[in-house]
Amino acid sequence: YVSIDCGVEEGYLDNPTGIWFKPDKEFISTGENHETLPEYQSENEQYGKRYKTLRSFPNGAKNCYTLTLTHAHNNSFRIRASFGYGNYDRKNQPPKFDLYPGVNYWATVNSRSNVCYEIIHVFPADTEYMCLVNTGSGTPFFSSMEIRPSNISTCYGNGSSSELTYVEIYNLGPTLVPLVS
């Protein structure tokens, strides 16, 4: 599995969760690193450092993370994408943008508070892309991404994504809880 903390310079062990988070620079070459304002950073250990930094994408209509996983082809993965605006740009205007795993629309991100989305996605190859699309309503950004194997390929093994739920999720604990729509 892979855990990515966007905007950090070095990887770290998140002590409350025991999860190793990698910096996102090995997955994308565009964007800018930023810190959220201190008043928006949670002291709740459950969130760890994930909402203290982010990577924003002021340039380009579409910016994509390259996710290469061993034996990912035709296997399903649970992806958790987290976003915490934290007024990093001091505009106090959270952006609105679209999120795409590969070419499949997943969600429109539009939230003032820390939010994450989860999806079960079948990787059509060992490499897949997680893309942020600028819709003209502010600068897209990413706070963190977690990718875990899911054992439901037999149900969704046709090379497409199947979203289990489309809700804002605030429990960002160390385990991924199965969601049922």
Side-chain angles (χ1 to χ4, degrees), residues 6 57 61-65 67 79-83 96-110 115-119 121 129-135 140-145 161 163 166:
C6 304
F57 300 94
K62 183 177 183 180
N63 288 271
C64 299
Y65 283 79
L67 308 170
I79 302 172
R80 176 187 286 175
S82 300
F83 305 91
K96 180 178 172 183
F97 54 92
D98 290 340
L99 183 61
Y100 283 77
V103 297
N104 301 300
Y105 171 79
W106 174 4
T108 297
V109 178
N110 182 19
V115 63
C116 75
Y117 300 90
E118 289 188 7
I119 190 172
H121 178 68
Y129 302 93
M130 183 61 65
C131 302
L132 303 172
V133 176
N134 189 328
T135 59
F141 70 92
F142 225 130
S143 295
S144 69
M145 185 179 349
S161 290
E163 190 170 354
Y166 182 65

Side-chain angles (χ1 to χ4, degrees), residues 12-103:
Y12 64 90
L13 179 66
D14 185 51
N15 288 329
T17 64
I19 296 173
W20 179 261
F21 279 86
K22 293 181 171 190
D24 63 346
K25 60 188 171 189
E26 71 181 79
F27 302 96
I28 194 161
S29 60
T30 60
E32 303 172 352
N33 291 347
H34 295 279
E35 287 189 22
T36 58
L37 296 181
E39 59 266 28
Y40 294 93
Q41 296 176 5
S42 174
E43 295 303 320
N44 184 334
E45 285 188 3
Q46 185 177 9
Y47 296 127
K49 296 180 178 182
R50 294 182 293 266
Y51 291 114
K52 292 183 178 181
T53 60
L54 58 85
R55 183 179 294 258
S56 70
F57 300 94
N59 300 312
K62 183 177 183 180
N63 288 271
C64 299
Y65 283 79
T66 302
L67 308 170
T68 302
L69 303 175
T70 305
H71 306 296
H73 182 248
N74 282 334
N75 287 310
S76 63
F77 293 86
R78 181 178 303 272
I79 302 172
R80 176 187 286 175
S82 300
F83 305 91
Y85 169 64
N87 200 20
Y88 78 92
D89 57 4
R90 292 176 162 66
K91 293 180 180 178
N92 204 26
Q93 296 178 331
K96 180 178 172 183
F97 54 92
D98 290 340
L99 183 61
Y100 283 77
V103 297

Side-chain angles (χ1 to χ4, degrees), residues 153-166:
S153 293
T154 55
C155 297
Y156 301 109
N158 61 358
S160 66
S161 290
S162 297
E163 190 170 354
L164 295 183
T165 187
Y166 182 65

